[in-house]
Amino acid sequence: MSPVVRSPARGDLVRILFMLLSLRTMTIDPSSESERHTRKSRIDPRLRAWGWEIVPFDPARPLSGYRHHAIEEFPTANGPADYALVVDGNLLGVVEAKKVTLGPQNVLTQAERYSKGVHDSSFNFNGYRVPFLYSTNGEVLWFEDVRNKLNRSRRIAGFHTPEALREMLSRDLDAECSWFRENTNAHHRLRPYQLDANAAIEGAIGNRKHQMLVAMATGTGKTFTLVNEVYRLLKSGAGKRIMFLVD
């Protein structure tokens, strides 16, 4: 029997690329690495791995000419942004880059200033003209969605793809959560504490929580409680793709 040769999946290619990047930078002393070197050796490859084409800023090229591009040194009223992420002619993201020896979490405020300083944008979220903000040192990546004041910055594993930003922009979590209030959770097989658990989950989602823990004793109907919640998340639109893992 001839062996079956499987083409590597996108996820495999991304992991291989990250391994090669790690080997490439092992011989470099991080303390002597400049921000430019960090950008070219660590950040640029990660942006490309998630579907972004990196190009320099061109004053003669309008935003409508970009589809899935990370524009370097994009000018704003508050200084040039390291990268501007443009999808289908819309400026959706700003990336603030720092050299690898600096922690990126506290520099999201710089990305916020750039977002407020963008002129060529049809968006305005309480003064922010760009909705999705990132800060990274090439190893650690922080993200913030500034469209709602309840959103909090958080660490993420990788950049969002252009398709993911397009989907995120199209969603209205407030409208999705209003479905919960308009459609009472009244399944006749649910016990009162199960209803309370579902209500707590939905309330936390409305408050922009990204991590929740529901603790229930053996035999109290954990599976049925969560299957019911999965159904409600899908019906409301608050959940698009849900992994239900049983251990």
Side-chain angles (χ1 to χ4, degrees):
M1 181 181 294
S2 301
V4 177
V5 179
R6 180 179 66 88
S7 299
R10 177 180 175 84
D12 295 332
L13 293 174
V14 171
R15 284 190 290 272
I16 292 170
L17 176 60
F18 282 4
M19 289 174 63
L20 293 174
L21 287 171
S22 298
L23 290 172
R24 179 182 175 184
T25 57
M26 281 177 62
T27 59
I28 300 174
D29 180 6
S31 64
S32 63
E33 184 173 306
S34 67
E35 180 180 312
R36 176 173 176 78
H37 189 278
T38 295
R39 288 174 60 173
K40 295 306 175 184
S41 66
R42 300 174 188 267
I43 301 175
D44 284 10
R46 284 159 173 73
L47 283 166
R48 293 190 183 98
W50 294 104
W52 297 98
E53 181 179 344
I54 301 171
V55 294
F57 173 71
D58 181 357
R61 184 176 181 181
L63 284 180
S64 59
Y66 298 94
R67 290 292 174 264
H68 44 79
H69 292 84
I71 306 174
E72 296 178 305
E73 303 299 332
F74 188 86
T76 77
N78 298 323
D82 292 325
Y83 304 89
L85 305 182
V86 181
V87 180
D88 299 332
N90 294 308
L91 180 49
L92 300 187
V94 167
V95 181
E96 172 63 17
K98 291 298 179 185
K99 62 181 181 178
V100 70
T101 54
L102 297 178
Q105 180 179 4
N106 295 327
V107 298
L108 268 174
T109 54
Q110 292 180 240
E112 292 174 356
R113 287 199 297 271
Y114 297 144
S115 174
K116 291 179 178 179
V118 169
H119 295 300
D120 191 9
S121 173
S122 60
F123 306 120
N124 192 335
F125 303 101
N126 298 313
Y128 293 102
R129 309 304 303 275
V130 182
F132 307 121
L133 310 181
Y134 303 83
S135 61
T136 183
N137 62 2
E139 298 296 319
V140 178
L141 177 62
W142 280 79
F143 169 73
E144 182 180 14
D145 178 350
V146 297
R147 292 177 297 169
N148 188 289
K149 64 181 180 180
L150 292 178
N151 289 331
R152 295 292 181 264
S153 62
R154 65 186 190 275
R155 183 172 174 175
I156 58 176
F159 287 104
H160 297 100
T161 64
E163 294 78 12
L165 288 192
R166 187 186 297 116
E167 178 184 324
M168 289 165 59
L169 182 68
S170 69
R171 295 185 59 182
D172 184 347
L173 187 58
D174 289 329
E176 293 162 356
C177 289
S178 69
W179 185 95
F180 295 134
R181 297 186 294 271
E182 296 165 0
N183 295 269
T184 304
N185 189 7
H187 197 288
H188 67 282
R189 291 185 59 187
L190 287 172
R191 300 162 187 164
Y193 62 84
Q194 293 172 314
L195 292 170
D196 290 342
N198 285 158
I201 293 171
E202 293 165 6
I205 292 173
N207 288 326
R208 271 54 178 189
K209 302 293 184 182
H210 288 273
Q211 293 183 337
M212 289 158 268
L213 174 65
V214 179
M216 298 174 65
T218 300
T220 55
K222 296 185 292 296
T223 299
F224 190 75
T225 301
L226 293 181
V227 167
N228 180 72
E229 188 58 50
V230 167
Y231 170 81
R232 288 176 59 79
L233 289 170
L234 292 173
K235 288 290 290 184
S236 68
K240 300 293 184 182
R241 294 171 293 275
I242 299 174
M243 181 177 69
F244 189 178
L245 178 63
V246 180
D247 186 358

